[in-house]
Every structure is written in structure tokens, then in C-alpha cells.
PDB file of all heavy atoms in Angstrom:
ATOM      1  N   GLU A   1       0.837  -1.205   0.000  1.00 95.00           N
ATOM      2  CA  GLU A   1       0.000   0.000   0.000  1.00 95.00           C
ATOM      3  C   GLU A   1       0.871   1.254   0.000  1.00 95.00           C
ATOM      4  O   GLU A   1       0.590   2.217  -0.729  1.00 95.00           O
ATOM      5  CB  GLU A   1      -0.906   0.000   1.238  1.00 95.00           C
ATOM      6  CG  GLU A   1      -2.006  -1.043   1.217  1.00 95.00           C
ATOM      7  CD  GLU A   1      -2.800  -1.064   2.510  1.00 95.00           C
ATOM      8  OE1 GLU A   1      -2.206  -0.787   3.573  1.00 95.00           O
ATOM      9  OE2 GLU A   1      -4.010  -1.356   2.463  1.00 95.00           O
ATOM     10  N   LEU A   2       1.918   1.233   0.804  1.00 95.00           N
ATOM     11  CA  LEU A   2       2.819   2.383   0.873  1.00 95.00           C
ATOM     12  C   LEU A   2       3.511   2.629  -0.468  1.00 95.00           C
ATOM     13  O   LEU A   2       3.566   3.770  -0.947  1.00 95.00           O
ATOM     14  CB  LEU A   2       3.877   2.164   1.957  1.00 95.00           C
ATOM     15  CG  LEU A   2       5.008   3.191   2.007  1.00 95.00           C
ATOM     16  CD1 LEU A   2       4.463   4.572   2.353  1.00 95.00           C
ATOM     17  CD2 LEU A   2       6.084   2.768   2.991  1.00 95.00           C
ATOM     18  N   LEU A   3       4.009   1.572  -1.090  1.00 95.00           N
ATOM     19  CA  LEU A   3       4.739   1.727  -2.337  1.00 95.00           C
ATOM     20  C   LEU A   3       3.827   2.199  -3.471  1.00 95.00           C
ATOM     21  O   LEU A   3       4.238   3.003  -4.317  1.00 95.00           O
ATOM     22  CB  LEU A   3       5.425   0.411  -2.707  1.00 95.00           C
ATOM     23  CG  LEU A   3       6.508  -0.050  -1.719  1.00 95.00           C
ATOM     24  CD1 LEU A   3       7.117  -1.376  -2.170  1.00 95.00           C
ATOM     25  CD2 LEU A   3       7.590   1.011  -1.551  1.00 95.00           C
ATOM     26  N   ASN A   4       2.589   1.723  -3.495  1.00 95.00           N
ATOM     27  CA  ASN A   4       1.631   2.205  -4.502  1.00 95.00           C
ATOM     28  C   ASN A   4       1.323   3.685  -4.291  1.00 95.00           C
ATOM     29  O   ASN A   4       1.209   4.451  -5.246  1.00 95.00           O
ATOM     30  CB  ASN A   4       0.343   1.379  -4.437  1.00 95.00           C
ATOM     31  CG  ASN A   4       0.516  -0.019  -4.995  1.00 95.00           C
ATOM     32  OD1 ASN A   4       1.368  -0.253  -5.850  1.00 95.00           O
ATOM     33  ND2 ASN A   4      -0.286  -0.955  -4.516  1.00 95.00           N
ATOM     34  N   PHE A   5       1.189   4.063  -3.023  1.00 95.00           N
ATOM     35  CA  PHE A   5       0.923   5.464  -2.684  1.00 95.00           C
ATOM     36  C   PHE A   5       2.106   6.338  -3.110  1.00 95.00           C
ATOM     37  O   PHE A   5       1.928   7.432  -3.662  1.00 95.00           O
ATOM     38  CB  PHE A   5       0.678   5.581  -1.179  1.00 95.00           C
ATOM     39  CG  PHE A   5       0.203   6.928  -0.721  1.00 95.00           C
ATOM     40  CD1 PHE A   5      -1.135   7.284  -0.801  1.00 95.00           C
ATOM     41  CD2 PHE A   5       1.104   7.853  -0.186  1.00 95.00           C
ATOM     42  CE1 PHE A   5      -1.578   8.531  -0.365  1.00 95.00           C
ATOM     43  CE2 PHE A   5       0.672   9.091   0.254  1.00 95.00           C
ATOM     44  CZ  PHE A   5      -0.671   9.431   0.163  1.00 95.00           C
ATOM     45  N   ALA A   6       3.323   5.856  -2.856  1.00 95.00           N
ATOM     46  CA  ALA A   6       4.527   6.598  -3.236  1.00 95.00           C
ATOM     47  C   ALA A   6       4.597   6.778  -4.745  1.00 95.00           C
ATOM     48  O   ALA A   6       4.976   7.853  -5.240  1.00 95.00           O
ATOM     49  CB  ALA A   6       5.764   5.854  -2.730  1.00 95.00           C
ATOM     50  N   LYS A   7       4.224   5.753  -5.478  1.00 94.00           N
ATOM     51  CA  LYS A   7       4.238   5.832  -6.941  1.00 94.00           C
ATOM     52  C   LYS A   7       3.241   6.883  -7.429  1.00 94.00           C
ATOM     53  O   LYS A   7       3.539   7.669  -8.341  1.00 94.00           O
ATOM     54  CB  LYS A   7       3.903   4.468  -7.538  1.00 94.00           C
ATOM     55  CG  LYS A   7       3.951   4.416  -9.057  1.00 94.00           C
ATOM     56  CD  LYS A   7       3.667   3.016  -9.566  1.00 94.00           C
ATOM     57  CE  LYS A   7       3.726   2.971 -11.091  1.00 94.00           C
ATOM     58  NZ  LYS A   7       3.426   1.598 -11.609  1.00 94.00           N
ATOM     59  N   GLN A   8       2.049   6.924  -6.814  1.00 93.00           N
ATOM     60  CA  GLN A   8       1.034   7.897  -7.201  1.00 93.00           C
ATOM     61  C   GLN A   8       1.516   9.325  -6.959  1.00 93.00           C
ATOM     62  O   GLN A   8       1.156  10.242  -7.701  1.00 93.00           O
ATOM     63  CB  GLN A   8      -0.251   7.640  -6.416  1.00 93.00           C
ATOM     64  CG  GLN A   8      -0.946   6.328  -6.763  1.00 93.00           C
ATOM     65  CD  GLN A   8      -2.074   6.001  -5.798  1.00 93.00           C
ATOM     66  OE1 GLN A   8      -2.445   6.824  -4.959  1.00 93.00           O
ATOM     67  NE2 GLN A   8      -2.603   4.794  -5.891  1.00 93.00           N
ATOM     68  N   HIS A   9       2.337   9.518  -5.923  1.00 93.00           N
ATOM     69  CA  HIS A   9       2.823  10.857  -5.585  1.00 93.00           C
ATOM     70  C   HIS A   9       4.185  11.159  -6.208  1.00 93.00           C
ATOM     71  O   HIS A   9       4.771  12.199  -5.913  1.00 93.00           O
ATOM     72  CB  HIS A   9       2.899  11.015  -4.054  1.00 93.00           C
ATOM     73  CG  HIS A   9       1.565  11.200  -3.407  1.00 93.00           C
ATOM     74  ND1 HIS A   9       0.643  10.172  -3.280  1.00 93.00           N
ATOM     75  CD2 HIS A   9       0.958  12.300  -2.881  1.00 93.00           C
ATOM     76  CE1 HIS A   9      -0.441  10.626  -2.684  1.00 93.00           C
ATOM     77  NE2 HIS A   9      -0.280  11.908  -2.443  1.00 93.00           N
ATOM     78  N   GLN A  10       4.669  10.219  -7.030  1.00 92.00           N
ATOM     79  CA  GLN A  10       5.942  10.393  -7.743  1.00 92.00           C
ATOM     80  C   GLN A  10       7.109  10.602  -6.780  1.00 92.00           C
ATOM     81  O   GLN A  10       8.015  11.415  -7.025  1.00 92.00           O
ATOM     82  CB  GLN A  10       5.844  11.562  -8.747  1.00 92.00           C
ATOM     83  CG  GLN A  10       4.790  11.323  -9.826  1.00 92.00           C
ATOM     84  CD  GLN A  10       4.710  12.464 -10.831  1.00 92.00           C
ATOM     85  OE1 GLN A  10       5.003  13.615 -10.525  1.00 92.00           O
ATOM     86  NE2 GLN A  10       4.321  12.141 -12.056  1.00 92.00           N
ATOM     87  N   TRP A  11       7.084   9.861  -5.677  1.00 95.00           N
ATOM     88  CA  TRP A  11       8.204   9.864  -4.756  1.00 95.00           C
ATOM     89  C   TRP A  11       9.265   8.883  -5.246  1.00 95.00           C
ATOM     90  O   TRP A  11       8.955   7.889  -5.914  1.00 95.00           O
ATOM     91  CB  TRP A  11       7.748   9.462  -3.348  1.00 95.00           C
ATOM     92  CG  TRP A  11       6.819  10.453  -2.705  1.00 95.00           C
ATOM     93  CD1 TRP A  11       6.642  11.760  -3.026  1.00 95.00           C
ATOM     94  CD2 TRP A  11       5.932  10.192  -1.613  1.00 95.00           C
ATOM     95  NE1 TRP A  11       5.713  12.351  -2.210  1.00 95.00           N
ATOM     96  CE2 TRP A  11       5.254  11.414  -1.322  1.00 95.00           C
ATOM     97  CE3 TRP A  11       5.645   9.083  -0.831  1.00 95.00           C
ATOM     98  CZ2 TRP A  11       4.318  11.527  -0.309  1.00 95.00           C
ATOM     99  CZ3 TRP A  11       4.710   9.186   0.186  1.00 95.00           C
ATOM    100  CH2 TRP A  11       4.052  10.402   0.446  1.00 95.00           C
ATOM    101  N   VAL A  12      10.493   9.133  -4.888  1.00 94.00           N
ATOM    102  CA  VAL A  12      11.595   8.260  -5.286  1.00 94.00           C
ATOM    103  C   VAL A  12      11.747   7.153  -4.250  1.00 94.00           C
ATOM    104  O   VAL A  12      11.978   7.430  -3.058  1.00 94.00           O
ATOM    105  CB  VAL A  12      12.913   9.047  -5.416  1.00 94.00           C
ATOM    106  CG1 VAL A  12      14.058   8.115  -5.794  1.00 94.00           C
ATOM    107  CG2 VAL A  12      12.765  10.160  -6.449  1.00 94.00           C
ATOM    108  N   VAL A  13      11.630   5.908  -4.703  1.00 95.00           N
ATOM    109  CA  VAL A  13      11.695   4.753  -3.811  1.00 95.00           C
ATOM    110  C   VAL A  13      13.019   4.024  -4.014  1.00 95.00           C
ATOM    111  O   VAL A  13      13.396   3.693  -5.140  1.00 95.00           O
ATOM    112  CB  VAL A  13      10.517   3.790  -4.077  1.00 95.00           C
ATOM    113  CG1 VAL A  13      10.651   2.544  -3.210  1.00 95.00           C
ATOM    114  CG2 VAL A  13       9.195   4.492  -3.814  1.00 95.00           C
ATOM    115  N   SER A  14      13.735   3.778  -2.915  1.00 94.00           N
ATOM    116  CA  SER A  14      15.009   3.051  -2.970  1.00 94.00           C
ATOM    117  C   SER A  14      14.858   1.743  -2.198  1.00 94.00           C
ATOM    118  O   SER A  14      14.980   1.735  -0.964  1.00 94.00           O
ATOM    119  CB  SER A  14      16.138   3.891  -2.366  1.00 94.00           C
ATOM    120  OG  SER A  14      17.331   3.133  -2.291  1.00 94.00           O
ATOM    121  N   PRO A  15      14.588   0.622  -2.886  1.00 93.00           N
ATOM    122  CA  PRO A  15      14.448  -0.670  -2.197  1.00 93.00           C
ATOM    123  C   PRO A  15      15.702  -1.081  -1.445  1.00 93.00           C
ATOM    124  O   PRO A  15      15.613  -1.684  -0.375  1.00 93.00           O
ATOM    125  CB  PRO A  15      14.146  -1.633  -3.350  1.00 93.00           C
ATOM    126  CG  PRO A  15      13.587  -0.775  -4.433  1.00 93.00           C
ATOM    127  CD  PRO A  15      14.341   0.508  -4.326  1.00 93.00           C
ATOM    128  N   SER A  16      16.877  -0.752  -1.985  1.00 94.00           N
ATOM    129  CA  SER A  16      18.119  -1.162  -1.332  1.00 94.00           C
ATOM    130  C   SER A  16      18.306  -0.442   0.005  1.00 94.00           C
ATOM    131  O   SER A  16      18.748  -1.035   0.996  1.00 94.00           O
ATOM    132  CB  SER A  16      19.316  -0.883  -2.250  1.00 94.00           C
ATOM    133  OG  SER A  16      19.395   0.497  -2.560  1.00 94.00           O
ATOM    134  N   GLU A  17      17.953   0.845   0.036  1.00 94.00           N
ATOM    135  CA  GLU A  17      18.072   1.611   1.271  1.00 94.00           C
ATOM    136  C   GLU A  17      16.799   1.563   2.117  1.00 94.00           C
ATOM    137  O   GLU A  17      16.790   2.043   3.252  1.00 94.00           O
ATOM    138  CB  GLU A  17      18.399   3.071   0.949  1.00 94.00           C
ATOM    139  CG  GLU A  17      19.722   3.271   0.240  1.00 94.00           C
ATOM    140  CD  GLU A  17      19.998   4.735  -0.058  1.00 94.00           C
ATOM    141  OE1 GLU A  17      19.182   5.581   0.389  1.00 94.00           O
ATOM    142  OE2 GLU A  17      21.000   5.035  -0.717  1.00 94.00           O
ATOM    143  N   LYS A  18      15.748   1.000   1.522  1.00 94.00           N
ATOM    144  CA  LYS A  18      14.443   0.954   2.195  1.00 94.00           C
ATOM    145  C   LYS A  18      14.045   2.360   2.655  1.00 94.00           C
ATOM    146  O   LYS A  18      13.660   2.590   3.804  1.00 94.00           O
ATOM    147  CB  LYS A  18      14.460  -0.019   3.368  1.00 94.00           C
ATOM    148  CG  LYS A  18      14.670  -1.462   2.955  1.00 94.00           C
ATOM    149  CD  LYS A  18      14.575  -2.412   4.145  1.00 94.00           C
ATOM    150  CE  LYS A  18      14.732  -3.856   3.690  1.00 94.00           C
ATOM    151  NZ  LYS A  18      14.634  -4.806   4.801  1.00 94.00           N
ATOM    152  N   ARG A  19      14.096   3.275   1.705  1.00 95.00           N
ATOM    153  CA  ARG A  19      13.850   4.678   2.014  1.00 95.00           C
ATOM    154  C   ARG A  19      13.112   5.362   0.863  1.00 95.00           C
ATOM    155  O   ARG A  19      13.309   5.014  -0.305  1.00 95.00           O
ATOM    156  CB  ARG A  19      15.182   5.390   2.276  1.00 95.00           C
ATOM    157  CG  ARG A  19      15.088   6.876   2.581  1.00 95.00           C
ATOM    158  CD  ARG A  19      16.436   7.424   2.986  1.00 95.00           C
ATOM    159  NE  ARG A  19      16.812   6.969   4.318  1.00 95.00           N
ATOM    160  CZ  ARG A  19      16.460   7.578   5.455  1.00 95.00           C
ATOM    161  NH1 ARG A  19      15.729   8.699   5.412  1.00 95.00           N
ATOM    162  NH2 ARG A  19      16.827   7.111   6.620  1.00 95.00           N
ATOM    163  N   ILE A  20      12.245   6.291   1.220  1.00 96.00           N
ATOM    164  CA  ILE A  20      11.524   7.101   0.244  1.00 96.00           C
ATOM    165  C   ILE A  20      12.077   8.521   0.285  1.00 96.00           C
ATOM    166  O   ILE A  20      12.201   9.120   1.362  1.00 96.00           O
ATOM    167  CB  ILE A  20      10.010   7.121   0.541  1.00 96.00           C
ATOM    168  CG1 ILE A  20       9.400   5.738   0.312  1.00 96.00           C
ATOM    169  CG2 ILE A  20       9.303   8.155  -0.322  1.00 96.00           C
ATOM    170  CD1 ILE A  20       7.952   5.646   0.714  1.00 96.00           C
ATOM    171  N   THR A  21      12.417   9.056  -0.883  1.00 95.00           N
ATOM    172  CA  THR A  21      12.906  10.427  -0.979  1.00 95.00           C
ATOM    173  C   THR A  21      11.849  11.286  -1.659  1.00 95.00           C
ATOM    174  O   THR A  21      11.273  10.889  -2.676  1.00 95.00           O
ATOM    175  CB  THR A  21      14.216  10.489  -1.793  1.00 95.00           C
ATOM    176  OG1 THR A  21      15.192   9.671  -1.136  1.00 95.00           O
ATOM    177  CG2 THR A  21      14.724  11.915  -1.889  1.00 95.00           C
ATOM    178  N   PHE A  22      11.613  12.460  -1.078  1.00 92.00           N
ATOM    179  CA  PHE A  22      10.566  13.339  -1.582  1.00 92.00           C
ATOM    180  C   PHE A  22      11.158  14.364  -2.538  1.00 92.00           C
ATOM    181  O   PHE A  22      12.280  14.847  -2.325  1.00 92.00           O
ATOM    182  CB  PHE A  22       9.856  14.030  -0.422  1.00 92.00           C
ATOM    183  CG  PHE A  22       9.375  13.069   0.627  1.00 92.00           C
ATOM    184  CD1 PHE A  22       9.971  13.023   1.879  1.00 92.00           C
ATOM    185  CD2 PHE A  22       8.352  12.175   0.339  1.00 92.00           C
ATOM    186  CE1 PHE A  22       9.532  12.118   2.828  1.00 92.00           C
ATOM    187  CE2 PHE A  22       7.916  11.274   1.291  1.00 92.00           C
ATOM    188  CZ  PHE A  22       8.507  11.238   2.539  1.00 92.00           C
ATOM    189  N   PRO A  23      10.426  14.728  -3.580  1.00 86.00           N
ATOM    190  CA  PRO A  23      10.947  15.686  -4.559  1.00 86.00           C
ATOM    191  C   PRO A  23      11.150  17.063  -3.938  1.00 86.00           C
ATOM    192  O   PRO A  23      10.359  17.508  -3.106  1.00 86.00           O
ATOM    193  CB  PRO A  23       9.873  15.715  -5.647  1.00 86.00           C
ATOM    194  CG  PRO A  23       8.621  15.280  -4.942  1.00 86.00           C
ATOM    195  CD  PRO A  23       9.056  14.280  -3.915  1.00 86.00           C
ATOM    196  N   LYS A  24      12.233  17.732  -4.358  1.00 76.00           N
ATOM    197  CA  LYS A  24      12.496  19.071  -3.851  1.00 76.00           C
ATOM    198  C   LYS A  24      11.689  20.094  -4.638  1.00 76.00           C
ATOM    199  O   LYS A  24      11.614  20.042  -5.854  1.00 76.00           O
ATOM    200  CB  LYS A  24      13.987  19.399  -3.981  1.00 76.00           C
ATOM    201  CG  LYS A  24      14.875  18.587  -3.053  1.00 76.00           C
ATOM    202  CD  LYS A  24      16.319  19.022  -3.189  1.00 76.00           C
ATOM    203  CE  LYS A  24      17.215  18.241  -2.240  1.00 76.00           C
ATOM    204  NZ  LYS A  24      18.635  18.652  -2.360  1.00 76.00           N
ATOM    205  N   THR A  25      11.091  21.023  -3.922  1.00 65.00           N
ATOM    206  CA  THR A  25      10.370  22.123  -4.556  1.00 65.00           C
ATOM    207  C   THR A  25      10.805  23.422  -3.894  1.00 65.00           C
ATOM    208  O   THR A  25      11.451  23.420  -2.841  1.00 65.00           O
ATOM    209  CB  THR A  25       8.844  21.974  -4.398  1.00 65.00           C
ATOM    210  OG1 THR A  25       8.513  22.069  -2.999  1.00 65.00           O
ATOM    211  CG2 THR A  25       8.374  20.623  -4.926  1.00 65.00           C
ATOM    212  N   ALA A  26      10.417  24.518  -4.499  1.00 50.00           N
ATOM    213  CA  ALA A  26      10.777  25.820  -3.924  1.00 50.00           C
ATOM    214  C   ALA A  26      10.189  25.981  -2.542  1.00 50.00           C
ATOM    215  O   ALA A  26      10.729  26.667  -1.684  1.00 50.00           O
ATOM    216  CB  ALA A  26      10.287  26.938  -4.840  1.00 50.00           C
ATOM    217  N   GLU A  27       9.059  25.274  -2.306  1.00 53.00           N
ATOM    218  CA  GLU A  27       8.366  25.438  -1.033  1.00 53.00           C
ATOM    219  C   GLU A  27       9.038  24.667   0.083  1.00 53.00           C
ATOM    220  O   GLU A  27       9.051  25.105   1.225  1.00 53.00           O
ATOM    221  CB  GLU A  27       6.901  24.974  -1.173  1.00 53.00           C
ATOM    222  CG  GLU A  27       6.050  25.293   0.045  1.00 53.00           C
ATOM    223  CD  GLU A  27       4.590  24.953  -0.184  1.00 53.00           C
ATOM    224  OE1 GLU A  27       4.260  24.427  -1.252  1.00 53.00           O
ATOM    225  OE2 GLU A  27       3.790  25.227   0.721  1.00 53.00           O
ATOM    226  N   ASN A  28       9.613  23.490  -0.237  1.00 52.00           N
ATOM    227  CA  ASN A  28      10.192  22.707   0.849  1.00 52.00           C
ATOM    228  C   ASN A  28      11.713  22.778   0.901  1.00 52.00           C
ATOM    229  O   ASN A  28      12.344  21.995   1.588  1.00 52.00           O
ATOM    230  CB  ASN A  28       9.730  21.246   0.771  1.00 52.00           C
ATOM    231  CG  ASN A  28      10.200  20.528  -0.478  1.00 52.00           C
ATOM    232  OD1 ASN A  28      11.065  21.018  -1.178  1.00 52.00           O
ATOM    233  ND2 ASN A  28       9.613  19.373  -0.748  1.00 52.00           N
ATOM    234  N   THR A  29      12.316  23.707   0.162  1.00 47.00           N
ATOM    235  CA  THR A  29      13.750  23.899   0.319  1.00 47.00           C
ATOM    236  C   THR A  29      14.061  24.672   1.601  1.00 47.00           C
ATOM    237  O   THR A  29      15.165  24.613   2.113  1.00 47.00           O
ATOM    238  CB  THR A  29      14.334  24.675  -0.876  1.00 47.00           C
ATOM    239  OG1 THR A  29      13.577  25.867  -1.072  1.00 47.00           O
ATOM    240  CG2 THR A  29      14.280  23.828  -2.145  1.00 47.00           C
TER     241      THR A  29
END
């Protein structure tokens, strides 16, 4: 469920690190 949700939000998923990285925007810099 988490991985499908991450895909819908275009988050970067790293199975090797077991970590989700969020895209950088002007708002969250």
C-alpha cells in the first residue's frame, strides 16, 4: 500500500536503502 501510494505521488523509492525520498520544490527547500 505504501509503495503504490509513493508511486502515485511520484516519490523516489530506494528498495536497497528501504527509504523514500521526496521531490524538492521551492516550497520545501
Side-chain angles (χ1 to χ4, degrees):
E1 290 176 327
L2 171 64
L3 296 179
N4 287 333
F5 188 83
K7 183 177 180 181
Q8 293 170 9
H9 285 72
Q10 298 181 332
W11 294 340
V12 178
V13 176
S14 174
S16 60
E17 298 180 5
K18 295 184 178 181
R19 179 173 288 274
I20 292 174
T21 300
F22 308 110
K24 291 183 179 180
T25 65
E27 188 174 3
N28 64 13
T29 52

